[in-house]
Amino acid sequence: MSRARRQRLLRRRTGTAAAVLAVSLFVFWQHVWLLVALVVAAILSAGGWFLWRAHRREREGDRTWREQDRRMELERSMTAIDAMSWQDFEQYVAELCRRDGCTGVRVVGGSGDLAADVLGCLPDGRRLVVQVKHYAPHRKVPSGDVQKFVGMAFAEHHADVALFVATCEYSASARQLALKHHIVALNRDLFGSWNSGAPLPSLLGLGGTGAGPEHRRRPRRA
């Protein structure tokens, strides 16, 4: 083999070796950064997961605390209830409805309310119409108040359940009128049970005939 040919062969082998080394270094470099990227991503993911878990625990704890605080607020003594204004009492009754799963609850009491103070739907979908009377404990709800509610609850507001809430007792004529026209009448004692945590659905059958006449008891279809 001539000297020139040997030199060409040497240069070719040297070039091939250099190319192989360059490719090897490039692949190794790429894999190192890929490995580093995977490690960094894993660390960030783990850190993010722990932060998310900590944030979730904090939110759950805050939610639990707020719920306990809200329940304690709702379960105030009847003395505190008596000290409320009638406007605050309407808002309070609406909050009790929300506590027990009622939806779309809104306070509509005031001028032109057509004998309804709170509107909403029970958990089973029935339309709830509430009349609220914040009277002194020694008073009695007169039949005239119930008459106005009877005349508007079903005809005007299309109630499935008509609820009359009072902070006192009902007169005998008012009670009879409520029973006759399927008004759920909660007196002071029954309201006290509701205020202390008894769910509203469990009280419907205790004031008057409960959920109204048979044709009104079917839940509304969605």
Side-chain angles (χ1 to χ4, degrees):
M1 181 182 296
S2 65
R3 182 178 179 182
R5 187 175 179 180
R6 285 198 301 270
Q7 288 178 346
R8 286 196 300 271
L9 181 61
L10 179 61
R11 284 196 297 270
R12 188 181 302 151
R13 289 177 178 175
T14 302
T16 302
V20 171
L21 179 61
V23 170
S24 298
L25 289 174
F26 176 77
V27 172
F28 178 74
W29 179 258
Q30 290 292 89
H31 278 257
V32 167
W33 279 107
L34 179 61
L35 180 62
V36 171
L38 290 174
V39 170
V40 171
I43 293 174
L44 291 176
S45 298
W49 184 80
F50 282 114
L51 289 174
W52 176 78
R53 289 283 295 178
H55 178 65
R56 184 178 179 181
R57 285 196 298 269
E58 183 178 350
R59 286 188 61 185
E60 289 176 350
D62 182 67
R63 189 182 302 113
T64 300
W65 177 83
R66 287 180 182 275
E67 179 65 19
Q68 291 175 346
D69 184 67
R70 189 173 73 91
R71 287 187 177 276
M72 289 177 64
E73 185 71 11
L74 287 175
E75 294 170 7
R76 286 180 283 189
S77 68
M78 290 302 296
T79 301
I81 298 296
D82 293 335
M84 289 181 177
S85 66
W86 63 267
Q87 295 96 333
D88 288 339
F89 187 59
E90 288 180 354
Q91 296 288 342
Y92 187 66
V93 169
E95 185 61 23
L96 286 175
C97 292
R98 296 187 186 99
R99 182 200 71 183
D100 291 344
C102 295
T103 57
V105 177
R106 55 195 179 96
V107 177
V108 296
S111 177
D113 59 18
L114 299 178
D117 295 315
V118 178
L119 300 177
C121 289
L122 290 165
D124 61 8
R126 287 176 296 172
R127 182 169 176 78
L128 177 67
V129 178
V130 187
Q131 171 66 253
V132 178
K133 290 300 180 183
H134 186 261
Y135 288 160
H138 66 274
R139 291 187 58 183
K140 289 188 177 182
V141 176
S143 62
D145 287 352
V146 178
Q147 288 176 26
K148 293 177 184 177
F149 190 47
V150 169
M152 290 294 180
F154 300 114
E156 180 66 29
H157 299 290
H158 310 293
D160 294 316
V161 176
L163 178 66
F164 199 115
V165 179
T167 53
C168 60
E169 295 298 328
Y170 292 80
S171 68
S173 58
R175 172 65 66 183
Q176 292 172 0
L177 195 62
L179 288 169
K180 180 179 179 180
H181 293 280
H182 312 289
I183 302 297
V184 182
L186 297 189
N187 62 5
R188 185 177 181 84
D189 289 340
L190 288 177
F191 174 76
S193 298
W194 189 20
N195 181 59
S196 297
L200 178 59
S202 70
L203 299 173
L204 295 180
L206 301 180
T209 57
E214 281 295 328
H215 71 279
R216 298 185 184 278
R217 295 183 186 179
R218 294 189 299 273
R220 291 173 178 263
R221 294 182 178 179

